[in-house]
Amino acid sequence: MTRALVARRCFMAALLPLALLLAFVGCHGDFFVGVDQADASTAGGAPGTGGSQHASDDAGHAIFVPASSDASPELCTDPNAQCPGVISCPGTQETTLTGTVFDPAGKTPLFNAIVYVPQSTPPAMAPGTSTCSQCAVAVGDYIAATTTDVNGVFTLKESPMGKNIPLVIQMGKWRRQIVVPSVPACETTQVPAELTRLPRNRTEGDIPQMAVLTGACDGIGCFLRHVGLDAQEFTGPDGDGRLHVYRGAGRGPDLAGGGGGTAGDCTGDAGACPLWTTKQDLERYDTVLLGCECGENDQTKPDKFPMHDWLNEGGSVIAVHDQETWFKNGPSDFQSVATWGPEDASAPGPFVVDNSFPRGQLFLNWLSGAGGIASDGTVLLHAADGSASIASAGSQSNRWIFDKGDADASPASVAYLSFLTPIGGVPGANPSEATAYCGKAVVTDVHVGASAAPSNAPIPESCGTGDLSPEEKALEFLLFDQSVCQTMLPKGLPPGPNEE
């Protein structure tokens, strides 16, 4: 039975309990994304760009309506009624929406974004991570849903037809709700790219709550600015921006030119670091980015169990070079994720993608399309930014990019690796259930965007809005790849990125 016919016959679900169960899968096909419970909205306000006007649904969620549209969307909220606008087309024709999902900057296409027409108001989202619920951020009931391919392209078939059709683009807790002004029946409608990028700020949609620890030896403080996050979202830990800034040891860049507030002090000069002293400190956040502090600076990290325990309950972290101390010198299970080499070893390249596992091949295809692969198949990383302190990946880790090494000059080493937490996973309730995971860590030996030039210039003031560097492109894939998982998938859709 086609999805259109399922939608037309939803009213039959009330006849029998079994029919109700089956129709629920057909009419309501829930996606689940991310790893955190959704119970509070972060959307609201007015749009910043794009020639659109702002509207909201009954729950106050931000919706972007193109200027040519004159009405808010009408959601199908009755589970036993025919979803309005879903019709059967003659022959092989279908009512289809197509387009490309981009990062917030609108430059880089994103793989495995969820695109769907909601049947009811999408559920709200709570910032932060405090429980291991694997895939508890649901997109809610939908009429039609799909995911983007490796080039960021989506083809959403059996869409409703009519005016002001609501459309949601989502990757984890990044979510934008828009309205397509007109969808002709049994035709293909191209959705403009300006509408299908992820939100740049809270007025455009939902954004996860993140933190960045700045380090003078890499440019990760500017990474999210280059991804497209608005400068006003950079605030101190007491601000309402979606990126809280903390200064690291070794004269990490300060906060200036953002949304206000004072950067959190993790230099060690003012006592304990307010970002990671306790697990509760970290639970404020969905993702934490840790820049290289030009040394391990373990004096500011005397207790590594809060980070360990937060990751085990669903947090995600991106750690650059010396921040691998959380794992190398952390609890024993974290020490096993890699074989660690000398801290100051260099990695001159050439760098290549490990495509020996399925997602590695997808990563290679995506990075090639994004302009990150040279004609000889190597990754376009700045050789001076690389280190070789990760000798090899452990059995629980995925190696994404590695330095092939030179038998006469340098050994092979790992440039990017990731692993799921807790190590070994959470066993299912019975033997037939798969092992589940909660959080994810990405560790890179490449100093992101630094071009071998240490800097303590304040962020986001010094960042600029240029194109992503090759190492930033590689990291962008892993940033968004770690934020999505899907269960209860309609037949034919690909598995989520956490299913590695």
Side-chain angles (χ1 to χ4, degrees):
M1 182 181 293
T2 68
R3 194 163 184 77
L5 290 176
V6 171
R8 293 186 66 187
R9 298 179 184 179
C10 287
F11 68 91
M12 296 181 65
L15 297 181
L16 292 171
L18 178 59
L20 176 60
L21 176 62
L22 295 175
F24 184 83
V25 175
C27 286
H28 296 268
D30 285 351
F31 275 131
F32 289 81
V33 294
V35 291
D36 305 305
Q37 185 62 40
D39 58 10
S41 174
T42 57
T49 59
S52 302
Q53 60 183 346
H54 174 260
S56 62
D57 58 24
D58 292 340
H61 292 74
I63 295 175
F64 280 74
V65 185
S68 60
S69 178
D70 58 3
S72 296
E74 179 181 350
L75 297 174
C76 176
T77 58
D78 184 352
N80 295 318
Q82 177 181 330
C83 304
V86 180
I87 65 170
S88 294
C89 296
T92 60
Q93 295 179 338
E94 292 179 291
T95 304
T96 302
L97 295 173
T98 189
T100 303
V101 172
F102 291 93
D103 62 9
K107 296 179 179 180
T108 307
L110 298 178
F111 164 65
N112 212 41
I114 295 172
V115 182
Y116 68 100
V117 176
Q119 183 165 314
S120 59
T121 299
M125 295 182 183
T129 304
S130 60
T131 59
C132 179
S133 49
Q134 288 97 44
C135 297
V137 177
V139 306
D141 298 341
Y142 60 87
I143 299 172
T146 191
T147 55
T148 57
D149 65 16
V150 74
N151 298 310
V153 176
F154 67 89
T155 301
L156 183 61
K157 298 181 179 181
E158 298 181 352
S159 166
M161 52 76 66
K163 295 183 177 180
N164 305 305
I165 301 301
L167 190 68
V168 181
I169 297 99
Q170 185 168 347
M171 297 197 75
K173 288 188 177 181
W174 296 83
R175 181 175 67 186
R176 193 175 184 200
Q177 301 180 53
I178 64 171
V179 171
V180 183
S182 179
V183 178
C186 306
E187 297 181 14
T188 297
T189 298
Q190 181 77 32
V191 184
E194 172 58 24
L195 295 179
T196 57
R197 60 169 174 78
L198 293 180
R200 294 170 178 165
N201 53 61
R202 285 161 290 149
T203 67
E204 289 189 345
D206 297 286
I207 298 173
Q209 187 65 62
M210 299 172 288
V212 61
L213 179 91
T214 62
C217 280
D218 84 300
I220 202 168
C222 288
F223 168 58
L224 284 170
R225 186 76 182 103
H226 297 158
V227 167
L229 189 68
D230 277 357
Q232 291 301 304
E233 297 296 335
F234 288 65
T235 68
D238 295 329
D240 59 0
R242 280 294 170 259
L243 182 66
H244 290 170
V245 178
Y246 294 81
R247 290 189 68 196
R251 299 185 65 202
D254 207 344
L255 171 65
T262 301
D265 191 343
C266 293
T267 63
D269 297 336
C273 171
L275 174 58
W276 57 57
T277 298
T278 69
K279 181 165 68 79
Q280 289 70 33
D281 294 330
L282 288 160
E283 285 176 342
R284 300 177 62 189
Y285 302 106
D286 299 295
T287 298
V288 171
L289 298 89
L290 301 173
C292 180
E293 299 174 283
C294 307
E296 292 179 348
N297 290 287
D298 278 329
Q299 75 279 3
T300 68
K301 311 168 185 70
D303 184 2
K304 295 181 174 61
F305 274 94
M307 179 71 73
H308 171 273
D309 295 346
W310 174 68
L311 285 170
N312 280 355
E313 71 181 12
S316 66
V317 69
I318 294 175
V320 180
H321 190 210
D322 289 325
Q323 295 292 348
E324 65 200 25
T325 185
W326 293 101
F327 315 108
K328 180 175 70 173
N329 300 317
S332 59
D333 57 341
F334 275 9
Q335 293 179 27
S336 69
V337 302
T339 299
W340 307 100
E343 180 183 341
D344 56 355
S346 63
F351 299 96
V352 293
V353 171
D354 185 347
N355 63 343
S356 64
F357 61 108
R359 296 202 73 74
Q361 183 61 52
L362 288 169
F363 175 49
L364 175 60
N365 295 343
W366 178 87
L367 193 58
S368 178
I373 301 294
S375 58
D376 62 358
T378 60
V379 184
L380 294 168
L381 298 181
H382 196 297
D385 287 343
S387 298
S389 58
I390 308 174
S392 62
S395 61
Q396 299 285 345
S397 302
N398 276 331
R399 182 180 70 169
W400 295 89
I401 298 177
F402 65 100
D403 181 353
K404 293 176 64 176
D406 185 326
D408 299 323
S410 61
S413 61
V414 180
Y416 291 77
L417 70 77
S418 69
F419 61 92
L420 302 179
T421 58
I423 303 299
V426 179
N430 58 68
S432 65
E433 292 185 7
T435 299
Y437 294 89
C438 306
K440 189 170 184 178
V442 173
V443 187
T444 174
D445 247 352
V446 179
H447 295 80
V448 182
S451 298
S455 172
N456 60 0
I459 65 166
E461 183 178 79
S462 65
C463 294
T465 55
D467 293 337
L468 293 170
S469 66
E471 52 261 35
E472 286 177 319
K473 288 180 181 178
L475 201 62
E476 183 178 49
F477 180 94
L478 297 177
L479 169 72
F480 289 112
D481 185 64
Q482 71 178 337
S483 64
V484 181
C485 62
Q486 302 167 19
T487 60
M488 293 176 62
L489 291 173
K491 183 178 179 180
L493 292 183
N498 271 4
E499 300 175 30
E500 300 177 25

